[in-house]
Amino acid sequence: YLESCCQHKYHQRKEHVHEEMRKEAESLKVVEDEDWGDGKCAQYQRFLWDILEQPTHSIASRVVASISITFILVSTIALCLNTLPYFAPEDVTGPDNEALAMIEAACIAWFTLEYVLRFIATGNKWNFLKGGLNIIDILAILPYFISLVLLHAKMEGEQYNTVKRVVQIFRVMRVLRILKLGRQIGRASCRERV
């Protein structure tokens, strides 16, 4: 038994939760209703989309989601380890520990492949590009490639020091991978509720 004031709050919150779940279910239906057209590749696009975007769709989609979460966790751990003095490179001119740099490269390769495959699989490219979570994904990937380009550019003196500072800013942006983790976990839990 609840007091009348508590009961009122309970029912308000319950209605709010139901409204949020209804909105989430509607947004998922919009994805379900996405049009892939009637072309030769439409069924393959839909199949690929289901594997990459719907973790509860099949065993393959669960495996892909698990791999993606693993890569996000590994890259985040590597990013954190890279800041510890113990893992600092012996060659002071190098930006990263070599082993951690290789892990970083492998993770970025996975993130890039996943993003490109999702872009290929979507029925509406423009909606995909302007989607908030997809913007977060690209912002988590781009700093690596920009840093790579800037570090391999032939620069000297003050210009080189400026580039190093810019690269450090881009390295900080890699923290956006935490949002990728939230995206993966949120996508899985939302689909399980519906």
Side-chain angles (χ1 to χ4, degrees):
Y1 176 76
L2 293 174
E3 294 291 327
S4 63
C5 64
C6 296
Q7 192 173 19
H8 178 69
K9 285 183 180 179
Y10 168 75
H11 287 295
Q12 277 182 328
R13 293 204 179 181
K14 183 178 174 183
E15 286 177 28
H16 178 72
V17 166
H18 283 296
E19 182 65 22
E20 289 297 317
M21 289 177 67
R22 186 189 61 75
K23 287 179 183 177
E24 185 66 30
E26 284 179 13
S27 73
L28 292 175
K29 278 184 183 176
V30 169
V31 171
E32 291 286 326
D33 296 338
E34 189 166 344
D35 184 27
W36 277 270
D38 297 327
K40 293 179 184 178
C41 296
Q43 70 184 30
Y44 301 114
Q45 279 182 286
R46 175 62 191 228
F47 177 74
L48 185 58
W49 182 260
D50 287 343
I51 285 177
L52 295 170
E53 283 292 317
Q54 298 188 18
T56 58
H57 181 264
S58 66
I59 292 173
S61 59
R62 284 188 182 108
V63 168
V64 169
S66 298
I67 291 170
S68 190
I69 289 171
T70 302
F71 271 106
I72 293 168
L73 291 173
V74 167
S75 72
T76 304
I77 291 168
L79 182 66
C80 293
L81 289 176
N82 216 2
T83 63
L84 298 175
Y86 179 79
F87 292 100
E90 294 172 12
D91 177 17
V92 182
T93 60
D96 288 337
N97 177 300
E98 196 171 313
L100 294 175
M102 294 301 279
I103 291 171
E104 176 81 8
C107 292
I108 290 294
W110 171 260
F111 299 149
T112 305
L113 175 68
E114 183 183 36
Y115 186 84
V116 168
L117 288 175
R118 283 186 10 251
F119 179 75
I120 290 169
T122 188
N124 188 327
K125 307 288 190 229
W126 177 245
N127 283 345
F128 178 84
L129 289 174
K130 67 181 187 174
L133 295 175
N134 296 322
I135 291 171
I136 289 171
D137 286 348
I138 199 71
L139 288 176
I141 295 169
L142 277 180
Y144 178 81
F145 292 109
I146 292 171
S147 298
L148 216 58
V149 168
L150 290 176
L151 286 175
H152 287 72
K154 304 286 187 221
M155 295 180 201
E156 296 177 7
E158 187 61 35
Q159 191 177 22
Y160 180 73
N161 289 332
T162 304
V163 167
K164 279 180 70 172
R165 282 190 287 258
V166 170
V167 167
Q168 286 174 340
I169 291 169
F170 281 118
R171 290 174 61 79
V172 170
M173 286 180 62
R174 293 180 189 176
V175 173
L176 288 171
R177 289 187 202 138
I178 300 287
L179 297 176
K180 281 180 67 67
L181 180 61
R183 176 184 202 273
Q184 286 289 346
I185 292 172
R187 190 170 50 189
S189 66
C190 286
R191 294 223 177 10
E192 287 173 3
R193 280 185 289 181
V194 173

